[in-house]
Amino acid sequence: MKSETRDKYRDEGSADEVKNHVSPAVIKRLPRYYRYLRELLQNDILRISSGELSKLMHVTASQIRQDLNCFGGFGQQGYGYNVKYLYGKIGEILGVTQNFNAVIIGSGNLGSALASSPIFERRGVKLTALFDNSPNVIGKNIAGYIVKSMDELEEYCKTNTVNIAVLTIPKTVVREMADRLADIGIKGLWNFASTEIDLSHKGAVVQNVHMGDSLMTLCYELTK
Amino acid sequence: MKSETRDKYRDEGSADEVKNHVSPAVIKRLPRYYRYLRELLQNDILRISSGELSKLMHVTASQIRQDLNCFGGFGQQGYGYNVKYLYGKIGEILGVTQNFNAVIIGSGNLGSALASSPIFERRGVKLTALFDNSPNVIGKNIAGYIVKSMDELEEYCKTNTVNIAVLTIPKTVVREMADRLADIGIKGLWNFASTEIDLSHKGAVVQNVHMGDSLMTLCYELTK
DNA sequence: TAGATTGTTAATCGATTAACAATC
DNA sequence: TAGATTGTTAATCGATTAACAATC
């Protein structure tokens, strides 16, 4: 019964209560909310209603309220949502406050681009090292990091906490490297090669980026 | 009635008949099929059943058959699917045979990475030019292309067909550039800046890549 | 208090899966 | 012909939207 449940929440300060299981569809949308909320903050907008946000993001207000409620009552009737608070909460849910450490495996153009960008910092991830196996690249300074040899990988990971490995290496070597990294004990892989990796049997999670799929979708839309 | 419909298809050689409207969920999966089929071809596997493919891709056989049937009968009862034929057909649907031309706007690390990769060629897209507005970069040779000045953009697009512009420029200037490109008449934008672009009012389609969202999803999964 | 807007239920819509007849 | 596997329907499941009572 509804009121029963609400009362239970209220009893203990509410707002932090989270549904046992949040659907993947909702999770997938959280980073987008996070982006829009940051933009609002940057424009000094401190308060927003689901209706206003829905116009901005081109989704229904109903969906926004439904989504945010999976994690407890972030809003306030008659007022809307506090942007700063909501931004912080979504960040928490997404792990921004976890202070994860990342290393880049493969310091070519793509690896360099990522190392030079604010993409990690903005999400609470700390980039700590770059690796490569080409003698032309090892020792080079990229975005303030001295590129290490892949031979140092195991030792580095033993003496430093590494939560995430970013794979910007050719697809021909990506599976082998993924296994090596999982064996070292790295639990998160961010893979930019077009070959899909699955390491669930080794207890690691992987995000495959697949830029090519995005290009093909664009071509499909152009064809129509 | 079912048999009526089939008979109509059969009358005219079948296989090319396409449902009036194919759901976005199906379209989104096509590039993934395309990748797996290419891999199969490279391993000289010329024939596959929905059951075998389902094991490979970790989806249900039912979904595969359902998806492929949106575009007509690609398979054969008792046999399965001809990999080469299917690969070609999906490529057609996705516009690989359209010979689209692309230019890269912003020749930094990310632009260079894309220019050096087989990502365009593999999908039937021809990269024809790179642009930048930094004097340090203009005139440089990147992956065989001499980087042009952004000042030449309008003239270049007048004398050359450009279907797709790849935006690898900072987010601060991406909206302005997107408008400029749409005004030139470019109909497809592939945007790597974390700012979303919408150009539907100017009749252009956009794919926003959002690598950061992928990183956040990874962090979320690591948190659990 | 009156107005606004959330939280939450119920209804709708769409997507996935199961099952099997058609057919190669 | 017998076996295999698709094409396709119907059933299930999940996600989105609409509506409104609760409440700030």
Side-chain angles (χ1 to χ4, degrees):
Chain A
M1 236 263 103
K2 178 203 152 192
S3 45
E4 262 184 65
T5 330
R6 284 309 300 166
D7 288 351
K8 202 186 70 193
Y9 289 171
R10 290 292 164 215
D11 281 350
E12 27 172 309
S14 79
D16 278 320
E17 221 55 44
V18 171
K19 277 193 185 153
N20 314 11
H21 201 64
V22 179
S23 100
V26 176
I27 298 300
K28 225 180 46 208
R29 282 193 290 269
L30 289 184
R32 184 154 186 265
Y33 289 126
Y34 196 69
R35 270 190 278 121
Y36 274 87
L37 290 168
R38 178 170 49 235
E39 187 118 337
L40 288 172
L41 269 185
Q42 281 165 356
N43 294 321
D44 296 313
I45 295 164
L46 298 174
R47 164 187 168 177
I48 196 157
S49 70
S50 59
E52 292 166 318
L53 191 56
S54 81
K55 270 177 215 137
L56 214 60
M57 297 183 63
H58 301 288
V59 296
T60 64
S62 202
Q63 179 165 79
I64 292 176
R65 292 202 299 277
Q66 194 81 268
D67 283 356
L68 298 181
N69 248 89
C70 294
F71 307 95
F74 288 166
Q76 194 173 324
Q77 278 103 329
Y79 174 90
Y81 297 88
N82 177 311
V83 177
K84 209 166 192 168
Y85 176 76
L86 191 54
Y87 180 73
K89 277 294 172 188
I90 293 182
E92 247 178 59
I93 293 163
L94 288 172
V96 169
T97 52
Q98 300 274 321
N99 291 116
F100 288 128
N101 288 324
V103 299
I104 288 180
I105 312 292
S107 306
N109 280 319
L110 185 52
S112 302
L114 292 170
S116 320
S117 84
I119 196 164
F120 297 105
E121 195 196 0
R122 185 175 292 166
R123 286 159 189 89
V125 176
K126 194 172 174 216
L127 181 64
T128 62
L130 274 72
F131 292 88
D132 205 289
N133 61 10
S134 159
N136 300 327
V137 180
I138 296 167
K140 250 180 77 178
N141 183 327
I142 294 179
Y145 300 88
I146 305 298
V147 178
K148 296 182 196 299
S149 162
M150 297 265 198
D151 297 338
E152 302 174 51
L153 201 52
E154 276 75 8
E155 207 198 301
Y156 181 87
C157 293
K158 248 172 238 164
T159 50
N160 298 275
T161 305
V162 177
N163 308 102
I164 297 171
V166 184
L167 294 179
T168 46
I169 54 178
K171 59 179 288 188
T172 45
V173 295
V174 85
R175 286 234 161 96
E176 185 190 11
M177 179 56 79
D179 278 325
R180 182 173 161 192
L181 292 164
D183 290 339
I184 293 175
I186 294 179
K187 288 277 168 282
L189 265 71
W190 196 23
N191 173 36
F192 284 82
S194 66
T195 299
E196 278 174 27
I197 300 173
D198 178 14
L199 288 175
S200 47
H201 60 288
K202 293 195 175 183
V205 292
V206 181
Q207 275 287 314
N208 297 289
V209 174
H210 295 310
M211 300 184 195
D213 289 10
S214 168
L215 176 59
M216 291 204 94
T217 307
L218 181 64
C219 289
Y220 172 82
E221 286 171 0
L222 276 174
T223 303
K224 286 187 309 182
Chain B
M1 234 259 103
K2 175 206 152 191
S3 44
E4 260 183 70
T5 329
R6 283 310 299 166
D7 289 350
K8 202 185 75 194
Y9 288 171
R10 290 291 165 214
D11 282 349
E12 26 171 310
S14 79
D16 278 320
E17 219 58 42
V18 172
K19 276 189 186 156
N20 314 9
H21 203 64
V22 178
S23 99
V26 175
I27 298 299
K28 223 180 48 208
R29 282 193 291 268
L30 289 184
R32 185 153 185 265
Y33 289 126
Y34 196 69
R35 270 190 277 120
Y36 274 86
L37 291 167
R38 179 170 46 233
E39 188 118 336
L40 288 172
L41 270 184
Q42 281 163 357
N43 294 320
D44 296 314
I45 295 165
L46 299 174
R47 163 187 167 176
I48 197 157
S49 71
S50 60
E52 293 167 316
L53 192 56
S54 82
K55 270 178 215 136
L56 214 61
M57 297 183 65
H58 301 287
V59 295
T60 63
S62 202
Q63 179 166 80
I64 293 176
R65 292 203 297 278
Q66 195 80 269
D67 283 356
L68 298 181
N69 248 90
C70 294
F71 307 97
F74 288 167
Q76 193 172 325
Q77 278 104 331
Y79 173 90
Y81 298 87
N82 178 309
V83 178
K84 208 165 191 171
Y85 177 76
L86 190 53
Y87 180 71
K89 277 295 172 188
I90 293 181
E92 247 178 60
I93 293 162
L94 289 171
V96 169
T97 51
Q98 299 273 322
N99 292 116
F100 288 129
N101 288 324
V103 299
I104 288 179
I105 311 292
S107 306
N109 280 319
L110 185 52
S112 302
L114 292 170
S116 320
S117 83
I119 197 166
F120 297 105
E121 194 197 359
R122 185 174 291 165
R123 288 160 187 87
V125 176
K126 196 174 172 210
L127 180 64
T128 62
L130 273 72
F131 291 86
D132 205 287
N133 61 10
S134 158
N136 300 328
V137 180
I138 295 166
K140 249 180 78 177
N141 183 328
I142 294 178
Y145 300 87
I146 305 299
V147 177
K148 296 182 196 299
S149 162
M150 297 265 199
D151 296 339
E152 303 173 51
L153 201 53
E154 276 75 7
E155 206 197 301
Y156 181 87
C157 293
K158 247 173 236 162
T159 50
N160 299 274
T161 305
V162 177
N163 310 101
I164 297 170
V166 185
L167 294 179
T168 46
I169 52 179
K171 60 180 286 188
T172 44
V173 294
V174 84
R175 286 234 162 96
E176 184 191 11
M177 179 55 79
D179 279 325
R180 181 171 161 193
L181 292 163
D183 290 340
I184 292 177
I186 294 180
K187 288 278 169 281
L189 265 71
W190 196 23
N191 172 36
F192 284 81
S194 66
T195 300
E196 277 173 29
I197 302 172
D198 178 14
L199 287 174
S200 47
H201 59 288
K202 293 197 176 183
V205 291
V206 181
Q207 274 287 315
N208 298 288
V209 173
H210 294 310
M211 300 184 195
D213 289 10
S214 168
L215 176 60
M216 292 204 97
T217 308
L218 181 64
C219 289
Y220 173 82
E221 286 171 359
L222 276 174
T223 304
K224 287 187 309 184

